[in-house]
Amino acid sequence: MKVLRTYPMAIVILLVIGWLSLGTAPSTNLDTVMGIDKVAHICMYFGLSVVIWLEYLKYHDKLNWKRLILFAILAPILYGGAMEIAQMTFTEHREGDWFDFLANSIGVLAGALAGYFVLRPAVWMNKR
């Protein structure tokens, strides 16, 4: 239960991403913009990654790289892959897409870079 108290927003974002990934996507005027779907994937997983880092940094004064690599990088990337497989397997209106998985992964990695280089110094400076 400590995970629920420490990472509440990350869990909410995981649930929202799951809901968005498996639900029917609304049609918008942006559908005609080439690559907008990939931008959405990058933004969703960037946001997830940034929130994981923020919640981690809030409770830790040192980086545990094994834990960060496993839970802040690999787990969200694997979750993105699982969502693509779930779309392909459990929905009739969605398809799994390797490029969506790549966009998810880029979002996570960009979020990890922002977490380390931007959020870590800012959060830790405000703790002191």
Side-chain angles (χ1 to χ4, degrees), residues 11-87:
I11 292 168
V12 168
I13 292 171
L14 282 170
L15 294 172
V16 169
I17 288 174
W19 178 70
L20 291 171
S21 296
L22 299 175
T24 303
S27 182
T28 70
N29 293 337
L30 292 175
D31 291 341
T32 59
V33 177
M34 187 172 163
I36 195 69
D37 174 54
K38 305 310 177 245
V39 172
H41 281 265
I42 291 170
C43 290
M44 286 190 304
Y45 284 85
F46 176 83
L48 171 63
S49 184
V50 163
V51 167
I52 291 170
W53 273 85
L54 278 172
E55 291 180 330
Y56 178 88
L57 293 168
K58 180 179 175 182
Y59 293 104
H60 298 86
D61 293 327
K62 291 185 179 182
L63 299 181
N64 179 333
W65 280 107
K66 288 181 184 177
R67 186 171 285 170
L68 281 168
I69 289 170
L70 182 63
F71 294 109
I73 298 173
L74 290 178
I77 288 173
L78 292 174
Y79 183 76
M83 284 296 101
E84 294 305 316
I85 292 169
Q87 286 177 346

